[in-house]
Amino acid sequence: MREVTAPRAGDDVASVDEVLIGEAPVGEAPVDEAPVDEGQATAALVQPGQGADEEASPASASTWRRLARQRGAVVAAGWLLLLVLAAILAPWVTLHAPAAQDLLHSFGGPSASHWLGTDDLGRDVFSRLVYGARSSLQVSFESVALALVLAIPVGLFAGYRGGQADNIVMRFVDGGMSVPPLVLALAVVAALGPGANNASLALAIVFMPAFTRLIRGQTLAVKEETFVEASRSLGTPPVLIVARRVFPNVVSTIIVQASLTLGGALLAEAALSFVGLGAQPPSPSWGSMLQQAYSTGLFTHAWSLVVPGAAIAAGVLAFNTLGDGLAAALGVGRPSNGRRRRWGKSRLSRGLTRVDRGPVTAPPAPRSPDGDTSRDTLLSVEGLRVVLDTSAGPVPAVEDVSLRIGEGEIVALVGESGSGKSLTSMAIMRLLASPPAAVAAGQVTFAGQDLLSMDLGELRRIRGRDIGMVFQDPMSSLNPSIRVGEQIAEAVRLHERVARRTARERAVQMLVEVGIADPAARMRCYPHELSGGMRQRVMIAMALVCGPRLLIADEPTTGLDVTVQAQILELLRRLRRERMAVLFVTHDLGVVADLCDRVAVMYAGQIVEEAPIDDLFARPRHPYTEGLLRASRSAQDAIGESAAITGSVPALGRRPAGCHFHPRCQYAIDLCRTVDPPLVRESGRYERCHRAAELTLRGVA
């Protein structure tokens, strides 16, 4: 029995199609009216889960569409449905009673009267196979259903209650899992006596510990999520919290695990029947048919073993294939590196090529605030294009993004939510799930190495050691069941051969560097025991503990108070002096002005302007940059009025023709509505605007 990889709790339940093409769940605003942050969209692509109160919606329809695209799963489901129908309609689909004997025609071959021949007693093999499906499938479904009935409340209780109750439950679970499953099943059936019902009970006892552990682990993570805390603040009773908030977030994992377990149950039932402890004569089952053929025809009529053996193998294979299809459709877990679908076999390959770089306009050489261009390029992104596979076809999410970062340079990537900043940073690290996301074109080079074509083993050695990354949401990024000190120390031990004590000392020192008081005590805390700001600092410590050459910081100061934010920014300044480069993804232009060397402005998946920090703030060349500057708090204080940009970022899949910004631009002309402007260089900077040379836009000091 395999155990699925569970999703991280709190992830968005909205399907890829909803996030990309605006199919909002019932009762929610359409995507084009309330754009989704690309970081949330990325989370929805990589890991599903949350959705406590949603009824049938486009999300369920999208799940069925994704399942329908899993051809193996569809074939497996069809085969299992055929088995179930044949078992139910057995008296009408067979020509003979399963126990009817004809000793004159024992071991007869296939004929018009006996489609699969006869056994040693002249009984029709096809009839016994169909009637045997009743017993085999009955025991399989009963055992899994009974195991779930027992495991779901126990797992939910242990995970939500925690403490001593959780310890007691898990010790019983550990004891159950310490006994080999088949040995435990044989012992239970031997104690209860042979029979199909007793076999179901025995297998339920075998499967219950694994189900309980899985559900308990999911509950531990979900109960610490913000939506559960909000429910507690409203005075919701614990029983309702578990039923309405926790259980819906683990049900997808349970469904997938149950479908995989059914294959193991079918095989276990066959084993019990083979040794005479399952369904008893005259009721046939596939295991007893196999045992009968083995006893009477192994050396004289070996072909008689083929039919029941093939039926068992086909049934187990069908359940496992269906389980894998459900996992892909529901987004539970991620395929391993070896099983991840290749680009050439994806629907995205229709009309696209894996790397179709075409002409790429190079961005300017990295420059420091004083105009020095001598820094060696550390990270180079050229013509990056990310597309997402949806039921409506490939949807471009990031288009023709080019960016360079020099040694010791801090480059800001700014823009509104939904502009593609997080997708770009995830694509650089190759952290996007494929499918549905894939890099359709472009090149990402780090220290002379092509990250997109690099072997995954080599890439894993670079991640964390040479390139660190800080994510937006530290709670969903930290393992809820491991102490934060162990997580930081683990990052050291993954890349360096040091003693455990040395790794812990490095972790303590890193917590001091990021401004956490009493680091030795905080090392022993779990993520849910820390405040949001402290969790963010732990994430930064994990990213920096190996001394990377490049840090990709996606909103690293989110949730921090002003004092702690100043400490983090000072830390980044010191790291720059030590030649560590930073890609700083943020919304805060005040932080950008205080920290960064250059700024790349992103809108609707495109870089629309890039310039040194002083030039961009004083003389913006793109209307969107002007709008961002005038909407900043410092600009509003200076001009004495609110200057927010009207409208919102277009949803993925609904971006307008021509310049993506033209529906919100007060300077738009007919050319802007029809032709997408290229990214061009002028006066040592880059902008993507048809009217850049003729407009005089207002900046801020």
Side-chain angles (χ1 to χ4, degrees), residues 2-7 144-145 147-149 151-153 155-156 210-216 218-219 246-262 323 326-327 330 332:
R2 293 177 292 170
E3 184 168 323
V4 298
T5 303
V144 173
L148 287 175
V149 168
I152 288 175
L156 290 173
F211 278 128
T212 302
R213 178 178 287 278
L214 177 68
I215 296 167
R216 176 255 186 186
Q218 287 297 284
T219 304
V246 178
F247 179 71
N249 284 277
V250 303
V251 69
S252 296
T253 305
I254 294 174
I255 291 173
V256 174
Q257 184 64 34
S259 64
L260 295 172
T261 305
L262 283 169
L326 286 171
L330 294 171
V332 176

Side-chain angles (χ1 to χ4, degrees), residues 344-387:
K345 299 181 180 179
S346 169
R347 291 174 65 247
L348 292 172
S349 61
R350 301 172 186 174
L352 299 173
T353 57
R354 170 60 182 85
V355 177
D356 182 17
R357 295 183 174 87
V360 176
T361 304
R367 66 174 65 234
S368 63
D370 59 3
D372 178 24
T373 61
S374 61
R375 286 175 176 158
D376 295 331
T377 298
L378 180 64
L379 177 72
S380 174
V381 180
E382 298 185 357
L384 181 67
R385 186 169 188 261
V386 177
V387 293

Side-chain angles (χ1 to χ4, degrees), residues 84 120 137 159 181 200 214 224 237 251 281 287 294 329 344 382 414 456 460 477 482 524 568 577 592 630-631 645 654:
V84 172
D120 62 310
L137 294 178
S200 298
L214 177 68
E224 301 299 337
V251 69
Y294 177 85
E382 298 185 357
V414 302
L456 287 176
R460 280 192 291 269
S477 301
I482 301 179
R524 297 189 294 271
I568 297 300
R577 292 193 293 269
V592 170
R630 289 171 58 81
I645 307 174
R654 294 185 177 180

